[in-house]
Amino acid sequence: EVQLVESGGGLVQAGGSLRLSCAASGFTNYAIAWFRQAPGKEREAVSCIEHSDGTTYYADSVKGRFTISSANAGNTVYLQMNNLKAEDTAVYYCAAPTGWRFLDGRSWSRYYEYDYWGQGTQVTVSS
């Protein structure tokens, strides 16, 4: 059974930190991305990590504040979020493609590159 399970969300004050976790199982895992969606807004790509060589990608809005990393042969992916802002408030989802997928600086952020999605975890940043 394919599973992507996010955890670690919560309520934090602006300037604070949270670490999200994504546990993947049931499929061959080549890359995992984080997306987020705020109420009334489109889904937005946040970050991605490719397990073959550790290549990482970040949205401009989170560069320098968020760090993606992996453990357990890529089956656990973390998103360390520092200096959180009110605009980071959203439901955060982890996602993965079904197989190897060529990802680059453009394609990593396209939601349709990813076939498996978790249920999401809420992050709320109070200002």
Side-chain angles (χ1 to χ4, degrees):
E1 179 186 7
V2 172
Q3 283 195 318
L4 285 171
V5 180
E6 304 96 338
S7 61
L11 174 63
V12 64
Q13 288 189 333
S17 298
L18 282 174
R19 188 176 80 159
L20 304 183
S21 299
C22 173
S25 62
F27 65 100
T28 302
N29 178 4
Y30 293 95
I32 285 184
W34 285 96
F35 285 74
R36 66 187 180 186
Q37 189 164 22
K41 294 189 176 181
E42 293 188 353
R43 185 168 19 186
E44 174 189 20
V46 176
S47 184
C48 175
I49 185 166
E50 294 187 89
H51 303 313
S52 60
D53 60 4
T55 297
T56 58
Y57 305 93
Y58 295 95
D60 288 344
S61 59
V62 306
K63 276 180 184 176
R65 300 188 299 122
F66 291 11
T67 303
I68 193 168
S69 62
S70 66
N72 190 23
N75 289 318
T76 303
V77 171
Y78 302 103
L79 186 68
Q80 177 67 42
M81 306 186 296
N82 297 330
N83 191 21
L84 283 161
K85 304 176 181 180
E87 51 263 42
D88 295 318
T89 295
V91 177
Y92 284 70
Y93 302 90
C94 61
T98 53
W100 181 86
R101 196 70 53 86
F102 175 74
L103 297 175
D104 62 14
R106 287 186 177 183
S107 62
W108 78 270
S109 61
R110 297 169 182 159
Y111 72 90
Y112 52 80
E113 296 287 351
Y114 304 90
D115 307 288
Y116 302 134
W117 293 80
Q119 81 289 348
T121 186
Q122 176 71 46
V123 171
T124 303
V125 184
S126 63
S127 57

